[in-house]
Amino acid sequence: MKKSGNPEVRQATIIAYEDRHQPYFKSLNEAWIRHYFKMEPLDYQALDHPREYILDPGGHILVALYDGEPAGVCALIKSQHPEYDYELAKMGVSPKARGKGIGRMLGNAVIEKGRSLGAGKIYLESNTVLEPAIALYRKLGFREVEAKPSPYKRSNIQMELIL
């Protein structure tokens, strides 16, 4: 378990995903996706079956507990793209926990997980309408890259982090 030294998130802890967290993984992601966009087939696959689509192929999911309850999630998916080792994806934070640094904690934890696995590059796809998320990714060190074909209709920005 990893705890934050930041007083804003002193009650937050990052833990590894367990199958019992699937409802939180789905609901936290589905909330932001439905608020800004539409759910797509790949969303349903990953959120309904994270073990099959994320974990079993070599990925990881981290869960942020705030006051002991799941309040944030983020996945590190084994990349299918030959240029990248992993993809940062499916990051969601509960509205009640936003502004407390939990997204940054999750992002840093996922990046450290990638480093510990020997990753050289982490990739992500997003949408510029998600301004706080894009700002967070930039603070974490991600830089915009030239667009590659995306399986998501909502993707209009792609970023990478060289570790």
Side-chain angles (χ1 to χ4, degrees):
M1 283 196 244
K2 181 177 182 179
K3 290 191 177 195
S4 171
N6 180 340
E8 281 285 315
V9 290
R10 67 180 176 272
Q11 299 165 323
T13 305
I14 304 293
I15 63 169
Y17 172 93
E18 297 174 11
D19 290 334
R20 66 187 172 94
H21 296 123
Q22 187 274 333
Y24 301 103
F25 183 63
K26 182 175 182 176
S27 66
L28 289 170
N29 275 289
E30 194 169 12
W32 73 261
I33 293 169
R34 288 189 186 280
H35 180 78
Y36 292 100
F37 311 103
K38 291 181 180 175
M39 290 282 287
E40 298 183 41
L42 286 176
D43 294 317
Y44 289 109
Q45 287 177 351
L47 299 177
D48 289 337
H49 308 284
R51 175 142 313 275
E52 181 181 352
Y53 287 95
I54 297 171
L55 301 173
D56 289 347
H60 300 270
I61 301 171
L62 299 179
V63 178
L65 301 178
Y66 184 71
D67 288 337
E69 296 293 320
V73 292
C74 188
L76 185 66
I77 300 173
K78 189 75 175 144
S79 180
Q80 299 299 313
H81 193 285
E83 190 177 338
Y84 299 100
D85 300 298
Y86 289 93
E87 178 182 354
L88 184 152
K90 303 297 186 230
M91 181 187 279
V93 175
S94 165
K96 73 177 184 175
R98 289 188 189 139
K100 300 190 182 313
I102 291 174
R104 186 177 203 135
M105 264 183 81
L106 279 166
N108 281 325
V110 162
I111 290 166
E112 286 307 310
K113 184 67 175 176
R115 273 195 185 100
S116 76
L117 296 167
K121 284 186 181 181
I122 299 175
Y123 170 81
L124 68 81
E125 296 188 24
S126 192
N127 188 292
T128 52
V129 73
L130 304 171
E131 292 177 16
I134 302 301
L136 171 62
Y137 300 144
R138 290 187 200 289
K139 286 178 190 171
L140 292 170
F142 283 85
R143 299 290 172 247
E144 192 170 346
V145 294
E146 187 174 321
K148 296 167 179 35
S150 173
Y152 290 100
K153 291 179 184 174
R154 67 179 171 262
S155 176
N156 73 355
I157 186 171
Q158 297 170 349
M159 305 174 88
E160 71 178 15
L161 175 66
I162 299 172
L163 300 175

